[in-house]
Amino acid sequence: MSLVTVEKKNHILLIGLNRPEKMNAMNREMYHQIAAAYYQLENDPELRVGLMHAEGDHFTSGLQLDDWAGVFANGKGIEPGEGELDPFHITGQGLSKPVVFAAQGICFTCGVEMMLNSDVRVAAKGTRFAQLEVKRGIFACGGATIRLQREIGWGNAQRYLLTGDEWNAEQAYQWGLIQELVEPGEQFAVALEIAEKIAKAAPLGVQGSLKSSKIAVSEGQEVAKQRLFPDLQPVMASDDVKEGIQSFLERREAVFKGK
């Protein structure tokens, strides 16, 4: 049985962790299957958005450390293979398409770090989050030390990165770390609804919005300002812009083709 389920639903790629008997603990094989799914999302022109979710009661208990110890000691870290794209984006190319994230149960270490590399997050009430690495003799190496303080502030981030303590979905919602707090069992349906709205929007517009936002975060606002209109120019020449205007004049829902 595959450790990761991958299903195309119209323009959405559903990526599901599928090791519930092990609380979806991530071994190296699971990582590479997720990385292959991310590559598919990035390179399939029919796909516009990804939805990351998990089977069972929990999103993930974290990395299976006994399977990863040798990788962490190599000085280079986690490396995706050919036809793969790092779902943590600490190495190689990042996604140009958005990912919606749905969590439940426990979402530890690598689960938090994949969430931090997603764009819209949904969690069931009572979901528990943690970066446990300092309790295991290491430190977070999937992007939490790079991104968590940006999301929840320096003090909040260090409070949990340095102790390995848990926080819950209600706290995450207050911080803005997740955007939707839902009843248990509803996280996938709500995440899918958001993904479907993204998939119906103009793909070039969505990707342009995401690209501009990422430039502002990674390279600074001044660089993002300089790139704004040059990046907008080819979008303005697309058929989707014409469809957007025409659908507005005709008072109908637009049908975008990403061209």
Side-chain angles (χ1 to χ4, degrees), residues 166-181:
E166 296 180 13
W167 69 92
N168 60 39
E170 289 73 14
Q171 289 172 285
Y173 185 66
Q174 291 174 350
W175 295 330
L177 183 59
I178 63 173
Q179 286 65 59
E180 299 285 344
L181 181 64

Side-chain angles (χ1 to χ4, degrees), residues 244-255:
I245 295 171
Q246 191 65 30
S247 64
F248 172 76
L249 294 174
E250 296 174 359
R251 300 295 188 269
R252 60 174 173 82
E253 186 175 3
V255 179

